[in-house]
Amino acid sequence: MTSELLDKQEVRIRRMFGQIAPWYDFLNHLLSLNIDKRWRETTARRVPAGPAETGPILDLCTGTGDLALTYDRCTGGTVPIYGADFCREMLVRATKKANDAGADGRVRFLEADAQALPFPADTFQLVTVAFGLRNITDPNRGLAEMVRVVRPGGRVAVLEFSRPRHWLIGRLYRWYFRFVLPLIGQLLSRSKESAYRYLPESVLKFPDYEALADKLRSNGLREVTFEPLTFGIATLYVGVKPLRAETA
């Protein structure tokens, strides 16, 4: 049953997120008690964009565009931003949010597979992904593509759920993730693909902390760091693509 629940074939993941798109933002904020907004703000502050001359930003698995729009606000709209996702229903909502925020000329959304990005190598000053890496069928291919399209000296930032190490927080977290979140999420979204049962299982089975940092290193990033947020419920990972002289 767990293997079926964690089936990450592209067609199933695309269909699952398409089904929950109407409820996605509401449930994200409700089930995280709005802390997800603070995590994105923290990401934009800890990994700030450079000037526009150093290149645009790419937000991968952008969903409804929250992190892309956070970076737009934090840069004052001075840096071009691309948001990519392979779920069209999510991108429809992302585009509407950008229009409503007056950012439609600065933040552009496109439908693309994270495992085969339609961008030349060394394009972006910064590539980000928030709560999406574990949903990619092959996370290593996704990371390899992120590293390919970021420019030498540029950074890759991964914001992802993790498992709190504190014994009490960890127990409360697992109870909430395994019972409360699926109950509320499924009740409201009525996902036919059990999206809100998939979520906790995918998090609990995905590597975190040093194990995920090692994945970033094995895909060519250097100076990899990670910072647990909110007792380790989420973690921000950052790595730098080495300059060509460093890779020789």
Side-chain angles (χ1 to χ4, degrees):
M1 186 63 172
T2 299
S3 61
E4 292 178 9
L5 191 62
L6 291 179
D7 175 9
K8 294 201 297 181
Q9 292 182 64
E10 288 89 346
V11 65
R12 184 198 174 221
I13 295 296
R14 184 184 290 113
R15 186 172 61 234
M16 180 172 69
F17 280 98
Q19 289 171 359
I20 65 172
W23 287 95
Y24 186 75
D25 283 334
F26 174 78
L27 283 170
N28 272 358
H29 305 327
L30 172 68
L31 294 170
S32 73
L33 306 179
N34 265 337
I35 298 173
D36 65 309
K37 295 180 181 178
R38 190 166 69 199
W39 292 333
R40 291 182 179 89
E41 295 285 349
T42 297
T43 300
R45 287 198 312 270
R46 296 280 201 278
V47 197
E53 309 86 74
T54 58
I57 297 170
L58 171 63
D59 182 40
L60 198 55
C61 303
T62 195
T64 60
D66 276 349
L67 186 56
L69 292 170
T70 299
Y71 268 99
D72 182 64
R73 289 193 303 273
C74 289
T75 60
T78 60
V79 179
I81 298 173
Y82 292 84
D85 202 291
F86 75 170
C87 179
R88 186 171 301 176
E89 292 87 346
M90 290 287 187
L91 293 173
V92 168
R93 285 158 177 82
T95 301
K96 182 180 185 306
K97 285 162 71 172
N99 291 341
D100 291 345
D104 51 309
R106 304 185 302 268
V107 183
R108 284 167 280 185
F109 294 102
L110 70 153
E111 192 173 342
D113 186 343
Q115 301 169 110
L117 293 172
F119 300 109
D122 307 336
T123 297
F124 299 95
Q125 61 161 295
L126 171 63
V127 180
T128 64
V129 59
F131 309 114
L133 182 62
R134 74 182 187 286
N135 298 321
I136 299 173
T137 302
D138 184 345
N140 280 314
R141 278 180 62 191
L143 281 170
E145 279 292 270
M146 294 172 76
V147 174
R148 180 183 70 81
V149 300
V150 76
R151 66 173 178 78
R155 290 167 298 170
V156 170
V158 177
L159 177 62
E160 189 53 87
F161 286 115
S162 49
R163 290 159 291 181
R165 297 311 197 248
H166 186 277
W167 70 272
L168 178 58
I169 300 296
R171 287 184 179 183
L172 291 172
Y173 170 86
R174 287 189 294 275
W175 170 77
Y176 178 78
F177 242 45
R178 280 234 155 105
F179 301 104
V180 179
L181 184 148
L183 179 64
I184 297 173
Q186 285 299 128
L187 182 66
L188 293 178
S189 72
R190 302 198 179 278
S191 166
K192 295 177 183 176
E193 296 289 341
S194 301
Y196 288 92
R197 290 179 55 233
Y198 162 86
L199 170 61
E201 291 301 323
S202 68
V203 170
L204 295 171
K205 294 289 191 295
F206 199 67
D208 59 5
Y209 292 21
E210 194 60 45
L212 186 50
D214 280 342
K215 277 188 176 292
L216 271 65
R217 295 184 189 104
S218 67
N219 279 284
L221 294 172
R222 301 291 180 265
E223 302 174 42
V224 175
T225 61
F226 61 92
E227 177 186 0
L229 307 174
T230 316
F231 306 107
I233 294 172
T235 298
L236 174 61
Y237 305 81
V238 184
V240 179
K241 181 173 178 174
L243 300 173
R244 299 203 185 283
E246 297 176 51
T247 60

